[in-house]
């Protein structure tokens, strides 16, 4: 009998080719957020889970899955998974590091450029007939050349953003638990405390994982430290920013604007106050959304899943969980 795997949401069949003939697959419904109700009844038999970042995998869920051997998350972030609960039960956890670095860095630059040059506002005005003439003072934005970019979290994605920003002539500050001499030497980036980064940056871009230390890192005090024209960019995880504080910052003009690929909550309800600000650009968590990247993420997730089911070390194991 082939092992039962629950895939929480549908994926294109060609991304899952390696699973053919090796697992019994039950696929959850399209369009849900959170671990699908429809799959709960199958948990007692499941030996593998192929999850997305929107699925919460916690102790209570694992209690219902006594045969589970592997949780394979099709994401680099694993804040949706209780790693300790998995470890205690001997369940291996895999993710998809590295492969989405360039796509996510590309999107970060797209957000920085769009927010700096007020592209969404300008495009909406043109479409709505508000482009009456060439206005010398219309839609003025920020020069990136010579501006300071503060990168919070200088991991793989932070570094890829730094390389791109340097090509635009930006000066680089960063904060990170570890010094990155290679980035300092190659790009002239300077490691500074968070407070200094917030005060000196024209654009603050978040690239840290969501951990107990980074949850709520960008709170009212942090936002108040930023320059009044500075932009906040978040492509990390929504809860790194305190949403209510950001709403107030935009309402009261503590900062110049925001560009968010991730929000708290996610999805952001259509009537959320953040949508009311023309200087707040919101994308629906699309950092890794390219055909090539998403396919490769799915393939890595399948490789992790098969390894876990076969009792081999996962090729892309979350640290400390390769059991
Ligand atoms: C991840 O993989 O963690 C990203 O947020 C997906 O875009």
């Amino acid at each position: 009998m082939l092992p039962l795997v629950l895939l929480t949401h549908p994926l294109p069949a060609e991304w899952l080719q390696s699973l053919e003939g090796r697992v019994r697959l039950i696929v959850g419904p399209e369009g849900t957020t959170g671990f699908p109700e429809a799959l709960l009844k199958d948990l007692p038999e499941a030996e593998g889970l192929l999850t997305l970042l929107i699925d919460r995998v916690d102790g209570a869920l694992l209690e219902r899955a006594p045969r589970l051997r592997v949780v394979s998350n099709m994401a680099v972030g694993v804040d949706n998974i209780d790693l300790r609960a998995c470890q205690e039960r001997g369940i291996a956890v895999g993710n998809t590091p590295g492969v989405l670095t360039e796509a996510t860095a590309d999107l970060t630059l797209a957000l920085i450029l769009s927010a700096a040059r007020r592209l969404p506002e300008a495009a909406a005005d043109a479409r709505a007939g508000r482009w009456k003439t060439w206005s010398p003072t219309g839609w003025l934005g920020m020069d990136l050349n010579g501006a300071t970019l503060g990168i919070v979290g200088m991991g793989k994605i932070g570094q890829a953003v730094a390389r791109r920003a340097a090509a635009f002539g930006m000066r680089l500050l960063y904060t990170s638990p570890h010094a990155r001499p290679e980035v300092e030497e190659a790009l002239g980036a300077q490691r500074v405390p968070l407070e200094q980064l917030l005060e000196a940056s024209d654009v603050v871009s978040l690239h840290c994982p969501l951990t107990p230390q980074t949850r709520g890192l960008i709170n009212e005090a942090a936002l108040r430290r930023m320059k009044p024209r500075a932009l906040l960019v978040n492509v990390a995880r929504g809860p790194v920013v305190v949403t209510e504080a950001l709403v107030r910052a935009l309402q009261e003009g503590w900062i110049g604007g925001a560009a968010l690929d991730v929000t708290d909550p996610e999805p952001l309800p259509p009537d959320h106050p953040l949508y009311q600000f023309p200087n707040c650009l919101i994308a629906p968590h699309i950092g890794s959304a390219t055909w090539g990247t998403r396919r490769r993420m799915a393939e890595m997730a399948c490789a992790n899943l098969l390894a876990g089911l076969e009792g081999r070390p996962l090729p892309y194991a979350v640290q400390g969980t390769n059991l």
Side-chain angles (χ1 to χ4, degrees):
M1 182 82 135
L2 296 173
L4 179 65
V5 168
L6 307 182
L7 166 59
T8 55
H9 299 78
L11 294 176
E14 63 272 23
W15 296 3
L16 300 171
Q17 266 165 12
S18 64
L19 302 185
E20 260 170 45
R22 297 170 79 178
V23 303
R24 275 182 301 139
L25 202 60
I26 298 183
V27 183
E30 184 92 57
T32 55
T33 299
F35 194 90
E37 293 262 331
L39 294 184
L40 292 177
K41 63 177 183 342
D42 301 303
L43 279 172
E45 292 306 311
E47 292 179 57
L49 292 184
L50 207 164
T51 52
L52 305 187
L53 55 87
I54 48 178
D55 303 313
R56 179 101 205 100
V57 180
D58 56 15
L61 189 99
L62 298 177
E63 278 305 302
R64 305 173 73 157
R67 306 188 60 186
L68 202 60
R69 283 183 281 149
V70 56
V71 176
S72 177
N73 210 33
M74 190 183 137
V76 64
V78 284
D79 47 280
N80 58 314
I81 298 174
D82 185 337
L83 297 179
R84 186 184 295 247
C86 288
Q87 216 162 7
E88 282 165 4
R89 291 166 177 77
I91 298 168
V93 181
N95 67 343
T96 62
V99 66
L100 45 80
T101 301
E102 304 301 329
T104 307
D106 285 350
L107 188 85
T108 307
L109 262 292
L111 293 178
I112 293 175
L113 284 162
S114 298
R117 300 303 301 273
R118 302 175 55 193
L119 205 50
E121 284 172 74
D125 283 347
R127 189 177 289 265
R130 290 188 288 267
W131 178 17
K132 303 288 187 207
T133 181
W134 183 87
S135 163
T137 53
W139 304 286
L140 299 184
M142 180 194 294
D143 284 301
L144 290 190
N145 185 32
T148 298
L149 173 65
I151 297 180
V152 177
M154 195 51 111
K156 287 195 180 79
I157 297 173
Q159 291 178 39
V161 169
R163 286 195 298 276
R164 286 160 174 74
F168 278 87
M170 297 189 86
R171 184 177 156 246
L172 301 173
L173 300 178
Y174 76 99
T175 172
S176 167
H178 312 286
R180 303 285 184 184
E182 64 286 10
V183 187
E184 294 180 16
E185 276 154 36
L187 305 174
Q190 191 190 345
R191 185 170 173 232
V192 294
L194 179 64
E195 291 71 22
Q196 190 178 332
L197 178 144
L198 292 168
E199 283 163 14
S201 298
D202 300 297
V203 181
V204 173
S205 195
L206 307 177
H207 300 284
C208 51
L210 177 64
T211 64
Q213 292 72 40
T214 62
R215 184 176 288 275
L217 187 73
I218 305 301
N219 54 15
E220 172 171 344
L223 289 161
R224 283 188 184 276
R225 277 184 192 273
M226 289 173 62
K227 295 184 188 177
R229 285 221 179 120
L231 303 171
L232 177 71
V233 177
N234 190 4
V235 294
R237 283 293 183 266
V240 175
V241 177
V242 178
T243 302
E244 300 71 37
L246 178 59
V247 170
R248 278 195 61 206
L250 292 167
Q251 233 151 24
E252 297 175 17
W254 310 345
I255 64 173
L260 312 171
D261 184 43
V262 290
T263 56
D264 181 23
E266 239 176 67
L268 200 65
D271 58 351
H272 196 280
L274 277 178
Y275 286 117
Q276 80 196 13
F277 303 108
N279 56 345
C280 183
L281 166 56
I282 296 166
H285 202 149
I286 56 170
S288 62
T290 68
W291 287 103
T293 298
R294 287 281 168 84
R295 181 179 182 139
R296 184 76 190 111
M297 287 166 71
E299 288 168 351
M300 289 167 82
C302 289
N304 276 334
L305 184 79
L306 290 172
L309 293 173
E310 289 161 11
R312 293 182 280 112
L314 308 196
Y316 316 101
V318 175
Q319 241 181 4
T321 66
N322 222 347
L323 303 149

